[in-house]
Amino acid sequence: MMYYGLDIGGTKIELAAFDDQFNLLHKERVDTPKEDYQRWIETVAALVENADKKFGEQGSVGIGLPGFVNRETGIAEITNIRAADNKPILRDLSARLGREVRAENDANCFALSEAWAAENQQYPFVLGLILGTGFGGGLVFDGKAHSGHVGMAGELGHIQLNYHALKLLGWDNAPIYKCGCGNEACLDTYISGRGFEMLYRDLKGEALKAPDIIARFYQGEQSAVEFVEMHIELMAICIGNIITALDPDMIVLGGGLSNFDHIYDALPKALPKHLLRSAKVPVIKKAIFGDSGGVRGAAALHMVR
């Protein structure tokens, strides 16, 4: 049996094919159609059918989305892929391909991929956090993604800054960013990699990319050191709230900012004062599979542990 995972992005669609031992056997990537829905359906179908021809069988199809499919209506909410937003994508793809197509939020797929890693299967509840262009979460309980009543569980980036975070940033000069969801002060624009850069620009008065800020931190440049210490505290406040609500066994970090190794030493030390007295800081690890996590997790939607 072949398992296909598709990572559907705003610019690229990637299919990866795995056998039942999770060995990667095939990969193909194409551009994402921007406007035409039928062309989007046919582009996904062509990737799947190319894999079918290669392996001489119909593989299972799981897809990871930068959004979610509403469980009640069957309608996709993926605002950065205009061609497929507000469309019944699972119904139409399943009909086009003649098999069940399953979908999850891409952060859930990321978390699922990491939870299934041999060294992580000891943890019953894995929380995946993506520190990339945005900030998002994925929840995996006993090897299964949890997407909630409607399908939007894990949209942690749209929790909003609290009292302690605003106090840390400074009541009078705290930058208040508008989020793509339409609200203001969502975590998505503060503790993501993009938020890291935006805050440095607005608090330190210089526009730098995250790798340059991090390089200055490691060089001991005072402004960068002060900023990183502040941002770690901001992360501790925000992630501490999430730990209090969810109490995960393990947190795995992905996205560009997760490559900042200082986080794995500093964040566990900063968290306790933001947790309940009896709380335990969970294991916090860097993602094992990096950019491959999305397709691996999407393929796993049809696997049963």
Side-chain angles (χ1 to χ4, degrees):
M1 176 70 181
M2 295 302 301
Y3 297 88
Y4 306 155
L6 290 105
D7 186 10
I8 311 275
T11 57
K12 300 287 183 184
I13 301 175
E14 181 175 16
L15 177 144
F18 301 86
D19 63 18
D20 56 9
Q21 300 300 309
F22 237 141
N23 298 306
L24 175 64
L25 301 181
H26 167 73
K27 188 178 282 190
E28 185 179 359
R29 177 184 287 193
V30 297
D31 292 337
T32 303
K34 303 294 186 190
E35 302 292 340
D36 184 81
Y37 179 54
Q38 197 55 43
R39 186 163 166 243
W40 185 89
I41 290 285
E42 289 302 322
T43 298
V44 174
L47 286 169
V48 171
E49 290 170 346
N50 287 347
D52 285 348
K53 289 176 185 175
K54 181 178 179 68
F55 297 108
E57 65 176 88
Q58 283 197 346
S60 67
V61 181
I63 60 178
L65 300 166
F68 63 96
V69 175
N70 188 306
R71 287 177 174 268
E72 294 186 332
T73 65
I75 300 299
E77 296 191 32
I78 38 178
T79 54
N80 66 335
I81 305 179
R82 188 175 304 170
D85 184 38
N86 207 33
K87 301 290 196 304
I89 64 170
L90 293 185
R91 184 198 72 188
D92 292 347
L93 283 171
S94 296
R96 171 64 180 78
L97 290 167
R99 72 200 84 167
E100 179 192 10
V101 177
R102 299 179 183 177
E104 273 290 353
N105 176 267
D106 51 10
N108 276 348
C109 290
F110 158 75
L112 190 61
S113 171
E114 296 296 325
W116 277 50
E119 66 191 72
N120 293 336
Q121 290 184 19
Q122 62 185 297
Y123 302 110
F125 174 18
V126 174
L127 171 63
L129 297 178
I130 297 178
L131 311 173
T133 303
F135 172 69
L139 315 175
V140 176
F141 296 93
D142 296 323
K144 296 180 181 179
H146 174 74
S147 49
H149 175 63
V150 171
M152 65 184 213
E155 291 286 354
L156 303 175
H158 302 293
I159 296 171
Q160 293 157 6
L161 292 181
N162 68 7
Y163 164 88
H164 298 284
L166 289 167
K167 181 180 178 182
L168 175 70
L169 292 171
W171 295 112
D172 296 329
N173 63 345
I176 302 299
Y177 302 127
K178 182 118 177 173
C179 180
C181 74
N183 288 323
E184 293 183 327
C186 291
L187 302 192
D188 192 75
T189 51
Y190 292 85
I191 61 175
S192 60
R194 176 171 52 104
F196 184 80
E197 295 173 350
M198 290 163 60
L199 282 172
Y200 190 87
R201 177 197 68 201
D202 293 337
L203 296 178
K204 295 298 182 180
E206 187 176 6
L208 293 176
K209 293 296 184 183
D212 298 319
I213 300 167
I214 291 167
R216 291 190 181 189
F217 167 79
Y218 281 125
Q219 291 161 7
E221 198 271 323
Q222 183 178 355
S223 181
V225 170
E226 290 173 353
F227 174 77
V228 166
E229 290 176 349
M230 183 280 298
H231 201 264
I232 291 288
E233 181 68 8
L234 181 63
M235 290 175 66
I237 291 168
C238 299
I239 293 174
N241 280 342
I242 294 167
I243 292 170
T244 298
L246 298 178
D247 194 19
D249 297 290
M250 184 186 86
I251 294 176
V252 59
L253 303 181
L257 196 59
S258 72
N259 294 313
F260 185 15
D261 289 340
H262 177 68
I263 290 173
Y264 302 94
D265 177 58
L267 182 58
K269 294 175 181 175
L271 276 167
K273 69 181 179 182
H274 300 294
L275 301 176
L276 291 171
R277 183 179 59 211
S278 59
K280 183 178 179 181
V281 175
V283 174
I284 301 176
K285 301 173 67 172
K286 185 191 295 188
I288 299 169
F289 299 104
D291 291 342
S292 298
V295 289
R296 289 182 84 259
L301 294 176
H302 282 273
M303 294 181 179
V304 178
R305 180 178 289 175

